[in-house]
Each structure stands twice: as structure tokens, then as C-alpha cells.
Amino acid sequence: MGAIKDKGRQLHEIERVPYEDAFLIGDLLTTRTTLLAGEPKAGKTLLSAGMGIALLNGEPTFLGLPLHQRIDHIVYGLTDDGAAEELKERLDGAVPDDSVTIFPVRDAGDSGYWKGIYEDLADIRPGLFVLDNMLGALAPGEDISSR
């Protein structure tokens, strides 16, 4: 079987997701997958920290865009050395205690590693999972086109 026969649906079978259910923040952050891309030190982590602060504190807007949902917990998977300390500086005192969990992403080449991450996230059920950064989460020798 191919992708069309396995996953294809007729137009009448597709349900429309209400806008407020599809986005956490305006047209910026979806409830599914959002990718921030840019050069190193362009501000991606700073932007994600700002979004996290707004979501955890229940702010009405972020950068002029409406927040559709408040969340209680964010899990950050960090790949860069020193990233945990940098994120703590940005979030400490700006968000409720115990609202952020940070873990180092390591051993991504292990076949069961991501399954374990998935199981932990399913158990913890955070409002948002942030992987910072994707390239650092790949196994040695892998690149984004190999997945």
C-alpha cells in the first residue's frame, strides 16, 4: 500500500479545527508543530522563552497576537551546552515555580531514546514541548534530510 491508500481521505472526511484550537498564540504558535529557524544567536530561544512566559502567565497577547490558551507546564529539551543556565536566567522569577521542566537531549542515536521521551511527555502532559535545537538532537552523522 502507498501513502494515498493508507492515509488519504476524502474531502468530506476532513474535520475543520476551530482557529482557537489550532493555535496557542495568534498565527504564530500552533497546537501541533511550529518550527523556528534562523542563524545561531538570531533570537530563537529568546522568542520561545517570551512565548512561554506569556502562555504560563496567561497574558492576553504576545507581540500583539492573541493568546488562545493558557498553559500550566512547559518541557524544554535542550541540546546546547550552557542552554539550561541561559534559559533559567530568562525564565526564573518570570514564570510560576514548577511550571518549567528542562532536560538535556543526549544519546539521540539510541533506538529507544525518542520512544522514552514520547512516553515521558505522554505521562507528564505538558501544555508545550520545546526542542532546542533540532540539529543538536540528531544522532551523529544524521542530518535533517535523513528523516
Side-chain angles (χ1 to χ4, degrees), residues 93-112:
V95 297
D97 290 342
D98 301 324
S99 64
V100 174
T101 300
I102 298 170
F103 74 96
V105 174
R106 304 284 186 256
D107 302 321
D110 174 9
S111 61

Side-chain angles (χ1 to χ4, degrees), residues 73-77 99-103 117 120-121 124-131:
H73 192 207
I74 298 176
V75 172
Y76 285 88
S99 64
V100 174
T101 300
I102 298 170
F103 74 96
I117 300 275
D120 286 347
L121 290 170
I124 296 168
R125 301 189 56 81
L128 184 64
F129 171 62
V130 177
L131 176 60

Side-chain angles (χ1 to χ4, degrees), residues 78-91:
L78 305 175
T79 65
D80 294 341
D81 292 334
E85 294 80 7
E86 183 180 320
L87 191 59
K88 179 180 174 151
E89 285 181 28
R90 292 179 172 154
L91 298 179

